[in-house]
Amino acid sequence: MLILVTGATGKVGRRFIAGLLDDPRFSKARVRALCHNRLYEATDRVDVIQGSIADRDVVAAALDAVTHVVHLATCKETPEDIMDVTVKGLFWLLEEFRTSVTARQFILIGGDAGVGHFHHRHDGPITENARHSAYRGSYALSKVLEEVMLEQFGIQYGLNGCCLRAPWIMEKDDFKYSLSFGDDVFGGPDWKTLVPEDAARRYAAMGTVPLLLDADGRPLKRNFVHVDDLVSAILAAIDNPRAERQLFNICMDRPVDYAEVAAYLLRTRNLGSIDIPSRFHSNWMDNSKAKYLLDWRPNYDLEMLIDSAWQYERSKEEPRIVWYPG
């Protein structure tokens, strides 16, 4: 087993490679890390190739003798790169994979941006049968095109592909900083721009958290997944016959309710909250299919997600760095 991992130096790539190498089921597996800007450290079980998946020659070299692909590399809101990397790059990977004599399985990590996450209203739980519905910008469109391309290669060539669709992926203290009113906010919304400047500084200093309200004025529900749970799902899908040409939602059992977050932080850490109205929509990703076919379960619930983020102690040698815009 030789697994090509694109995006190997990201939060999912690093955790997946470590999890795979530590898993007794894959004791003989080797990894090839395809890196672009940052490099993974080579070992006796990990070799490294540097280059862009937009380059067909790079992809061809990376796929030599590969049995499995775990495709994580993507772009965010970078229109000048996203079609070359996310769309053309995936096309070259799939083209080389389908003609390879060693290829066995292609696993794509998709995203809830492909079904609009909180930008579009859904009348019920979001299952794998929900129609694609990108929101504005290039990133969501790219996530739709990825899923469609993988599906069509399965129809065209019988390619053994599997898509694991994940919402916002958390690790370490990510969730804590996703609720910051300071310049150190992780992701969006950018809370400090939604309140007066002096109030934002005060909230940041006090550790106040936003209680986001949806378009109907109710506490917003938004889907998340911890990186450890996503990694366990990837490992469950590898060589699983029930994963062939399937799409799975990989997420927490219940979406994060911002009112529940505020109440828990008030009770456990005496942190206040402030209501933030929005035009976003609550939604609920349904992970039943992954539970049924992959025999997978997420470990993280709301309290564990919060506690792990607030208890994480970051050393000076591990500064928070956001590697992508958007």
Side-chain angles (χ1 to χ4, degrees), residues 91-130:
F91 177 75
W92 290 142
L93 285 166
L94 291 170
E95 275 288 285
E96 294 295 331
F97 187 86
R98 74 175 179 85
T99 59
S100 168
V101 296
T102 58
R104 283 162 36 190
Q105 187 182 32
F106 194 106
I107 298 176
L108 167 69
I109 307 305
D112 68 346
V115 287
H117 89 86
F118 63 15
H119 291 271
H120 297 312
R121 186 185 295 273
H122 292 268
D123 294 330
I126 301 173
T127 71
E128 290 79 2
N129 293 322

Side-chain angles (χ1 to χ4, degrees), residues 94-323:
L94 291 170
E95 275 288 285
E96 294 295 331
F97 187 86
R98 74 175 179 85
T99 59
S100 168
V101 296
T102 58
R104 283 162 36 190
Q105 187 182 32
F106 194 106
I107 298 176
L108 167 69
I109 307 305
D112 68 346
V115 287
H117 89 86
F118 63 15
H119 291 271
H120 297 312
R121 186 185 295 273
H122 292 268
D123 294 330
I126 301 173
T127 71
E128 290 79 2
N129 293 322
R131 63 177 295 183
H132 288 112
S133 51
Y135 52 87
R136 293 183 179 184
S138 56
Y139 175 66
L141 176 62
S142 75
K143 303 316 284 183
V144 171
L145 296 177
E146 282 183 329
E147 289 190 8
V148 172
M149 198 184 306
L150 179 65
E151 177 190 46
Q152 293 304 311
F153 265 75
I155 294 171
Q156 290 177 284
Y157 307 108
L159 186 145
N160 178 15
C162 168
C163 179
L164 304 180
R165 179 191 286 160
W168 200 0
I169 304 165
M170 296 284 108
E171 70 161 353
K172 299 177 180 177
D173 50 9
D174 283 349
F175 189 67
K176 177 180 179 179
Y177 284 92
S178 76
L179 300 173
S180 172
F181 278 95
D183 293 329
D184 53 4
V185 64
F186 176 57
D190 187 354
W191 307 108
K192 67 181 181 296
T193 66
L194 304 179
V195 296
E197 188 175 341
D198 60 338
R201 287 196 295 268
R202 187 170 67 254
Y203 297 152
M206 297 172 60
T208 301
V209 298
L211 198 171
L212 188 60
L213 305 177
D214 66 19
D216 299 318
R218 297 189 292 258
L220 187 128
K221 294 179 175 63
R222 181 180 185 180
N223 300 284
F224 290 82
V225 69
H226 193 276
V227 65
D228 290 347
D229 287 333
L230 177 56
V231 166
S232 71
I234 300 172
L235 294 173
I238 293 176
D239 279 344
N240 189 330
R242 304 184 84 180
E244 185 169 352
R245 293 174 60 180
Q246 295 293 332
L247 165 66
F248 298 101
N249 289 337
I250 304 298
C251 55
M252 294 168 62
D253 282 335
R254 298 176 65 248
V256 166
D257 184 315
Y258 280 82
E260 294 179 5
V261 173
Y264 186 75
L265 286 172
L266 178 62
R267 185 172 74 252
T268 61
R269 291 171 174 81
N270 199 31
L271 298 178
S273 63
I274 182 72
D275 288 359
I276 302 290
S278 79
R279 297 182 180 179
F280 300 130
H281 300 283
S282 293
N283 55 50
W284 189 309
M285 286 182 72
D286 185 340
N287 62 11
S288 300
K289 182 179 176 182
K291 288 179 175 180
Y292 177 64
L293 290 180
L294 299 181
D295 195 25
W296 166 85
R297 299 289 186 278
N299 286 324
Y300 278 75
D301 59 12
L302 178 65
E303 294 185 2
M304 189 174 176
L305 183 70
I306 295 172
D307 289 340
S308 63
W310 258 261
Q311 292 167 5
Y312 187 80
E313 296 184 6
R314 188 175 287 272
S315 69
K316 293 181 180 180
E317 290 73 34
E318 188 190 22
R320 279 194 64 83
I321 299 175
V322 178
W323 295 99

